[in-house]
Amino acid sequence: MLYLSTRGHPARKRFCEILLEGLAPDGGLYLPEAYPRVDATTLERWRTVLKEQGYAALAFEVLSLYIDDIPASDLRALCAKTYTAEVFGTPEIVPLKALEQGFYLEALSNGPTLAFKDMAMQLLGNLFEYELARRGEQLNILGATSGDTGSAAEYAMRGKQGVRVFMLSPHGRMSPFQQAQMFSLMDENIHNIAVEGVFDDCQDIVKAVSNDLEFKRRYRIGTVNSINWARLLAQVVYYFAGYFYASSANSQQVSFCVPSGNFGNVCAGHVARQMGLPIGRLIVATNENDVLDEFFRTGTYRVRGSADTYETSSPSMDISKASNFERFVFDLLGRDADRTRQLFDAELRLHGRFELGSEPLFAQAAGRYGFTSGKSTHADRLNTIRSVFERHGVVVDTHTADGVKVALEQRQSDETMVVLETALPIKFAETIREAIGRDPQRPSQFEGIENLPKRVRVMSADVVAVKRYIGEHCQAA
Ligand SMILES: *Cc1c(COP(=O)(O)O)cnc(C)c1O
């Protein structure tokens, strides 16, 4: 299996080469040269694998189609070590909760940080440790977070050999629960840096450090952001698992509704569907930041400025552009790399938008690729949380509520629908209280975490200071 860039760079790479990289050298995103097709016999076998050997064994089956530069026995061991009931709370790993006949939530949020990002990040941590040991190298991960990504990365990388994490967050702006989750980690290799500024200041510092190629090389700086192919690949697995749990035979179709921000989660659904998984529709649910909903309704992709990017009560979906979206557009354009480069490099840079609505191929987004979309507002979120609680006794988080709202609106009478549950409500307690007048349940391992000692360095929004801190805490090459 070889990987190419969506912008046409001539190089072809293997999985472990792109594992530790971010963007391709030409600014594109990596994709496999072709999606492996899963035939009916294999699909039948995988259903049995999940049932008899469990999620980790299914993960191995899916991943081994894409990873041929890790010996099979090692890859199997990495999957087994990652997807355990101890880490993810249940033997099913991603159990379904039925709200009604044919309408399910897929629980992706029972990992260490209570958001679906653990599903991919936990595997990434083990893959990084394995590959770095094999190369005899070290990696210093630098990132910026406003919540879910940073904590998922830290819990995945804590205590791992060869990896250090430097995570910037806006000082005093994360919820107390999120701060406690991150700052209570006492592992030597985890560095929390609270920047006196907003999230954008943190991101600007990460960009400035990454643009200093000499510093980046000298201190082996890497990232774990959502464009990493390995993260996306790990997410493909739970579409297969969700499909098998929701259906009794492979003749059935199942639709997925996905609370979306950067288009990473639902892009994994697109990959699963391209592999031949009988997915009916892929429904993209956004909040007020409706970049993606606008595209799937009209064919116009319009990047928002910071004044048009709203802070909402489903904050992990507050995006101004969708960083994984280029992967789908590349496929939609029939894998025309020149055209992809022209749209994402030239057009977006010059005009901040591109339009495909008047072109015949836009109709394929819905027709051939099964995509539709919808959006949700704060009021919708409150209503949905309240009505799901009243009718089913289940409390959903604000992001999952966006998914449920759109799924209910779009579901056809005979359609089997799975909504991906992307976080647990305890992470967003304030909105839950607003909706149902009581606190969400807190998993026992999180009792009292706000009172634990904290390990965090507060710093001004200053690139030089951050570089100095990194330099002091790791060895240069
Ligand atoms: C990251 C995140 C999302 C958005 O996922 P994308 O892959 O960026 O589309 C949705 N919900 C929660 C809780 C998240 O943490």
Side-chain angles (χ1 to χ4, degrees):
M1 170 67 70
L2 291 173
Y3 292 86
L4 48 68
S5 161
T6 51
R7 297 194 187 173
H9 194 281
R12 295 292 179 269
K13 294 190 174 169
R14 299 182 75 184
F15 177 82
C16 288
E17 293 177 89
I18 65 170
L19 172 65
L20 303 171
E21 266 184 58
L23 294 172
D26 58 358
L29 305 186
Y30 286 113
L31 275 179
E33 280 188 312
Y35 299 114
R37 292 285 299 181
V38 177
D39 62 19
T41 318
T42 309
L43 204 59
E44 206 47 60
R45 187 168 65 77
W46 285 7
R47 183 183 283 279
T48 312
V49 166
L50 176 64
K51 199 163 166 195
E52 293 178 356
Q53 300 170 49
Y55 188 92
L58 176 67
F60 168 74
E61 296 289 339
V62 175
L63 296 179
S64 61
L65 297 181
Y66 290 90
I67 305 175
D68 53 14
D69 50 352
I70 294 178
S73 55
D74 290 355
L75 186 59
R76 197 182 275 283
L78 288 166
C79 291
K81 178 175 162 187
T82 303
Y83 297 109
T84 65
E86 291 73 59
V87 176
F88 288 97
T90 63
E92 296 94 335
I93 309 295
V94 292
L96 296 192
K97 285 183 240 181
L99 292 188
E100 293 165 20
Q101 176 79 9
F103 190 83
Y104 305 95
L105 297 179
E106 182 172 358
L108 304 179
S109 313
N110 296 307
T113 73
L114 310 182
F116 86 98
K117 291 188 172 69
D118 291 328
M119 292 300 305
M121 209 69 94
Q122 287 288 318
L123 180 72
L124 204 67
N126 286 325
L127 284 170
F128 273 24
E129 186 176 52
Y130 174 88
E131 182 58 18
L132 289 167
R134 197 158 73 160
R135 297 183 187 187
E137 288 178 10
Q138 305 235 333
L139 186 71
N140 295 303
I141 294 166
L142 175 65
T145 190
S146 53
D148 290 343
T149 307
S151 57
E154 291 188 353
Y155 279 76
M157 302 299 168
R158 64 187 293 199
K160 292 277 185 289
Q161 294 296 316
V163 189
R164 273 185 214 89
V165 178
F166 296 89
M167 192 57 67
L168 312 186
S169 59
H171 182 46
R173 287 178 190 255
M174 290 192 299
S175 76
F177 186 86
Q178 286 176 316
Q179 292 186 40
Q181 264 188 323
M182 286 177 56
F183 301 165
S184 64
L185 290 179
M186 294 293 146
D187 306 77
E188 284 286 329
N189 70 330
I190 303 296
H191 299 270
N192 286 303
I193 301 175
V195 172
E196 289 171 323
V198 295
F199 174 63
D200 282 341
D201 298 316
C202 301
Q203 232 172 358
D204 288 345
I205 295 173
V206 172
K207 274 187 206 145
V209 175
S210 302
N211 288 338
D212 181 345
L213 295 181
E214 162 59 19
F215 185 88
K216 198 176 165 195
R217 191 199 53 75
R218 193 168 141 83
Y219 290 103
R220 306 166 198 277
I221 302 292
T223 57
V224 288
N225 49 29
S226 82
I227 52 128
N228 183 295
W229 167 255
R231 275 182 67 181
L232 205 136
L233 178 57
Q235 296 174 173
V236 172
V237 179
Y238 57 68
Y239 283 88
F240 279 88
Y243 173 80
F244 292 133
Y245 288 147
S247 65
S248 52
N250 296 339
S251 54
Q252 283 171 252
Q253 288 211 327
V254 174
S255 293
F256 286 86
C257 184
V258 186
S260 293
N262 275 315
F263 202 77
N265 200 353
V266 75
C267 194
H270 164 67
V271 172
R273 198 173 183 277
Q274 292 308 106
M275 291 170 72
L277 186 67
I279 293 177
R281 299 192 293 163
L282 286 166
I283 303 172
V284 177
T286 74
N287 63 19
E288 292 88 334
N289 296 292
D290 58 354
V291 183
L292 290 168
D293 180 45
E294 178 173 88
F295 176 79
F296 286 106
R297 277 187 298 105
T298 67
T300 297
Y301 181 68
R302 185 169 58 88
V303 170
R304 310 292 199 256
S306 47
D308 305 320
T309 307
Y310 309 111
E311 270 186 45
T312 75
S313 47
S314 44
S316 298
M317 291 156 59
D318 292 349
I319 48 112
S320 56
K321 59 182 171 49
S323 52
N324 271 289
F325 188 53
E326 183 170 335
R327 288 192 160 107
F328 171 67
V329 172
F330 178 68
D331 283 346
L332 182 66
L333 296 171
R335 300 205 139 201
D336 182 339
D338 289 333
R339 185 85 204 278
T340 307
R341 177 161 25 83
Q342 186 235 330
L343 293 182
F344 281 88
D345 197 9
E347 296 243 355
L348 282 191
R349 201 144 36 86
L350 290 174
H351 309 296
R353 63 197 287 157
F354 61 73
E355 283 166 34
L356 298 177
S358 59
E359 299 186 30
L361 65 77
F362 174 64
Q364 294 186 356
R368 178 166 172 202
Y369 294 102
F371 274 98
T372 64
S373 69
K375 69 182 274 191
S376 166
T377 63
H378 181 69
D380 293 328
R381 228 162 275 140
L382 294 179
N383 283 333
T384 306
I385 292 167
R386 197 177 303 124
S387 75
V388 170
F389 179 60
E390 282 168 3
R391 279 207 232 140
H392 310 289
V394 173
V395 182
V396 293
D397 99 287
T398 52
H399 305 77
T400 309
D402 290 335
V404 171
K405 186 262 180 184
V406 173
L408 287 172
E409 202 167 70
Q410 303 225 351
R411 186 179 174 213
Q412 287 149 9
S413 55
D414 56 348
E415 191 173 26
T416 301
M417 178 76 69
V418 173
V419 179
L420 300 186
E421 178 185 64
T422 56
L424 290 196
I426 183 65
K427 297 192 86 166
F428 307 96
E430 201 182 320
T431 309
I432 304 300
R433 274 194 297 272
E434 191 181 344
I436 60 173
R438 57 189 250 185
D439 277 317
Q441 220 182 349
R442 180 180 285 238
S444 57
Q445 70 271 34
F446 295 96
E447 280 317 332
I449 56 163
E450 287 90 342
N451 304 325
L452 293 174
K454 295 189 170 57
R455 191 159 163 269
V456 57
R457 171 74 72 93
V458 180
M459 262 187 219
S460 59
D462 174 5
V463 180
V464 176
V466 171
K467 280 183 174 170
R468 191 182 319 119
Y469 181 89
I470 293 172
E472 283 164 10
H473 290 87
C474 59
Q475 287 166 336

